[in-house]
Amino acid sequence: MEDAFTIANKNFKSRLIVGTGKYKNFEQTASAVKASGADIVTVAVRRVNILDKKQPLLMDYLNPKSITYLPNTAGCFTSADALRTLRLAREMGGWRLVKLEVLGDKKTLYPDMIETIKSTEILVKEGFEVMVYCTDDPILSKKVEDAGACAIMPLGAPIGSGMGLQNKVNIELIKEQSSVPVIVDAGVGTASDATIAMELGCDGVLVNTAIAEAKDPILMAEAMKYAVIAGRKSFKAERMKKRKYGSSSSPLDHLI
Amino acid sequence: MNNLNVSKIQLNGHPYQISGGINLNELLKNLKIQKSKVAIEVNGEIVEKNKYSSLVLNKDDKVEIVHFIGGG
């Protein structure tokens, strides 16, 4: 496959991963996912609502046979909770490729990296392929890779903040030193943020709130699709060198 | 006679009445939930799907039935 995006030995066409939270309803979720062209969607594990059995199910709108479900531990603040969530996800239908996120603070939603690394080691031992949400610290993200992560997912800015990549230098350093895919997760606020992440050389981008909270989520999903494609092509094309002064685009010889 | 055969369990944090001796497959059937779309924990232990028919629920068991929902 041309310019394949490979995670844990599986090839994916789209380098955009989308979250399925915060949408108005499942119809809108499904339309946005379709418009985004994503092959992977993150999903959360929660209790079935026993009192209201008529509630629609995500699986009735997004077929896990045609799109890769990436179970996520969003909302887990301890290693124990995260492990429990992913073990349940695996039991649900054999999901081994998972996204680990162990949060350390309710306000910033910053990851607790000590708990995250500990959980990664345990999950890898249990046979999971773990994509790991982490801070944009090159030392800690290296430790995440050493713990056996199949992808590193540094934050661009806090989850749901839409502030864009706050530390491009760190993201670039992390990409340079990693031998597993680096996917910017969290902080993307608009399409150009996704392009910037891809231009830095990242392998992919995960977006949820920027699509779900756009006035027109379906249109923004499509914008994200093209933004990621543009950023990837731009990175591969290798941009021109910057100059301090102007350089005429038309030849100056034979001027009339 | 039937009344003697009823026990209460904790289902997803709510009290729930079951008839005595039912297994997890029967519980799912009563709840009209498809087995393929959920995972179940009984008293903190995940139950493998192939053991649903042999796991008989007892009084005060804590049962958690989870599924996938939208999330980031």
Side-chain angles (χ1 to χ4, degrees):
Chain A
M1 195 189 290
E2 194 193 338
D3 193 26
F5 177 36
T6 310
I7 304 171
N9 297 317
K10 267 191 232 94
N11 287 337
F12 299 96
K13 268 194 293 204
S14 172
R15 290 174 178 270
L16 174 63
I17 300 174
V18 295
T20 55
K22 296 186 177 172
Y23 287 95
K24 209 168 64 192
N25 51 43
F26 285 144
E27 279 92 359
Q28 194 186 53
T29 314
S31 305
V33 169
K34 196 167 173 230
S36 77
D39 300 314
I40 305 175
V41 293
T42 57
V43 293
V45 176
R46 293 291 184 272
R47 279 173 168 167
V48 170
N49 189 340
I50 302 296
L51 305 174
D52 179 11
K53 283 171 227 156
K54 291 241 159 62
Q55 269 206 341
L57 295 175
L58 181 67
M59 280 192 191
D60 296 332
Y61 291 84
L62 287 172
N63 183 355
K65 288 197 175 85
S66 50
I67 195 149
T68 299
Y69 270 38
L70 182 65
N72 181 15
T73 62
C76 291
F77 283 83
T78 64
S79 175
D81 282 348
L83 297 175
R84 181 186 186 196
T85 300
L86 294 179
R87 286 168 184 152
L88 280 165
R90 176 158 66 179
E91 188 50 41
M92 215 167 322
W95 278 269
R96 283 177 62 237
L97 181 66
V98 294
K99 183 190 149 194
L100 174 70
E101 131 179 356
V102 188
L103 304 177
D105 176 44
K106 287 202 163 94
K107 210 166 168 184
T108 60
L109 300 179
Y110 249 66
D112 178 332
M113 291 308 296
I114 314 269
E115 292 283 299
T116 299
I117 292 167
K118 201 169 81 184
S119 313
T120 305
E121 284 168 351
I122 297 170
L123 290 166
V124 169
K125 266 191 209 134
E126 291 182 13
F128 285 94
E129 306 276 10
V130 198
M131 300 171 69
V132 184
Y133 176 61
C134 59
T135 53
D136 59 2
D137 178 309
I139 307 300
L140 288 171
S141 66
K142 187 75 204 156
K143 287 190 195 287
V144 168
E145 184 177 350
D146 293 343
C150 72
I152 295 169
M153 310 182 83
L155 54 85
I159 296 170
S161 70
M163 289 200 296
L165 274 68
Q166 293 296 301
N167 199 335
K168 291 191 266 183
V169 177
N170 276 17
I171 299 285
E172 212 168 2
L173 288 174
I174 290 169
K175 174 55 203 169
E176 274 172 24
Q177 70 177 16
S178 303
S179 45
V180 293
V182 174
I183 297 155
V184 166
D185 181 359
V188 168
T190 188
S192 55
D193 294 334
T195 305
I196 289 168
M198 296 308 292
E199 282 182 332
L200 291 174
C202 291
D203 299 275
V205 178
L206 193 155
V207 183
N208 188 350
T209 311
I211 297 175
E213 286 187 2
K215 195 169 175 197
D216 185 339
I218 320 294
L219 192 57
M220 185 56 88
E222 197 182 359
M224 288 293 174
K225 169 184 169 174
Y226 291 118
V228 167
I229 292 171
R232 178 66 183 172
K233 285 188 190 290
S234 170
F235 168 72
K236 290 190 80 184
E238 297 187 26
R239 61 155 296 152
M240 63 165 279
K241 289 224 163 37
K242 288 182 184 175
R243 303 185 177 88
K244 198 167 177 184
Y245 298 104
S247 165
S248 172
S249 297
S250 306
L252 295 175
D253 296 340
H254 310 295
L255 267 173
I256 51 167
Chain B
M1 187 66 192
N2 271 345
N3 285 343
L4 293 173
N5 234 353
V6 167
S7 344
K8 203 177 264 178
I9 58 165
Q10 281 288 319
L11 178 59
N12 286 4
H14 298 283
Y16 187 83
Q17 295 226 320
I18 54 163
S19 32
I22 73 161
N23 62 42
L24 284 182
N25 269 341
E26 288 159 342
L27 176 69
L28 288 181
K29 212 170 155 194
N30 291 346
L31 292 166
K32 297 189 173 62
I33 292 172
Q34 277 177 272
K35 189 175 172 173
S36 61
K37 291 179 177 169
V38 295
I40 305 181
E41 231 182 43
V42 176
N43 302 325
E45 298 276 337
I46 295 172
V47 185
E48 289 171 37
K49 285 193 200 270
N50 57 20
K51 299 204 172 114
Y52 285 5
S53 55
S54 58
L55 198 145
V56 173
L57 291 167
N58 295 307
K59 187 172 173 284
D60 296 330
D61 274 349
K62 284 195 173 63
V63 180
E64 293 283 348
I65 305 178
V66 299
H67 66 158
F68 286 132
I69 64 149

